Amino acid sequence: MLKKVKLMFLPVLALLSCCAGPPSVEPFITREKAEYGDTYSFDLDISGDCSLGLYTRMERKPFAAYPSDSLDLGIRWISPADSSFLDHVVLSLSEPADSTYSARDYIFSYIDSVKVSEYGRWRLRIQVRNNPESIRGLGIILTYR
């Protein structure tokens, strides 16, 4: 009888483990879908300890140069209660994570341990201030711990 009870709980345990959230979320917005061509909007569920990174791809036409040596970002954080603050970040483009003749991919660590005033749905509006023509889009990497 005890064996039958244990076997009945195995499907329930399997179902509960499937309901756990993903270890990371990595949305990417293409340049064509950015607001005004230079502002990327993300909705994030920040309900615990997590880290935040950014990633992008730069492409060039044959024989053309890659863009400037950095990305200048204005990042507006909007809380679940609609308060906001602005952060300014300059990211170096000197070390791509991957590179081909026509494209370079970049991954940047932004915040190792996100500390927020309130948990819930946060919005990030990231404006690429120097907006190089070769940028194909911008993404974030939200890793839950």
Side-chain angles (χ1 to χ4, degrees):
M1 178 68 176
L2 186 58
K3 208 173 203 182
K4 285 184 180 180
V5 173
K6 284 183 183 178
L7 289 176
M8 287 183 355
F9 284 108
L10 282 178
V12 173
L13 290 174
L15 181 63
L16 289 176
S17 68
C18 292
C19 295
S24 69
V25 177
E26 302 177 7
F28 184 83
I29 299 172
T30 62
R31 181 185 185 119
E32 294 78 26
K33 293 189 177 180
E35 297 170 24
Y36 312 110
D38 68 353
T39 302
Y40 301 82
S41 295
F42 300 95
D43 286 335
L44 307 175
D45 180 20
I46 301 178
S47 54
D49 189 26
C50 58
S51 64
L52 188 63
L54 303 165
Y55 66 102
T56 190
R57 169 171 276 193
M58 300 288 181
E59 293 180 349
R60 70 175 180 174
K61 295 178 181 163
F63 307 108
Y66 277 106
S68 66
D69 59 348
S70 65
L71 280 180
D72 184 6
L73 305 179
I75 303 175
R76 178 170 303 280
W77 288 76
I78 304 167
S79 76
D82 281 332
S83 61
S84 69
F85 68 91
L86 186 63
D87 193 9
H88 178 243
V89 179
V90 178
L91 303 171
S92 172
L93 297 176
S94 62
E95 295 183 31
D98 192 22
S99 182
T100 66
Y101 175 76
S102 61
R104 288 184 180 170
D105 295 329
Y106 298 89
I107 300 172
F108 311 98
S109 176
Y110 174 44
I111 301 175
D112 291 331
S113 184
V114 176
K115 306 287 186 208
V116 293
S117 58
E118 59 186 298
Y119 290 132
R121 182 66 74 195
W122 283 74
R123 291 174 286 155
L124 263 65
R125 294 181 43 86
I126 304 174
Q127 180 186 26
V128 182
R129 293 176 174 165
N130 57 341
N131 201 19
E133 187 176 312
S134 60
I135 192 169
R136 291 299 120 221
L138 188 68
I140 60 162
I141 304 168
L142 182 65
T143 305
Y144 300 98
R145 297 182 183 160

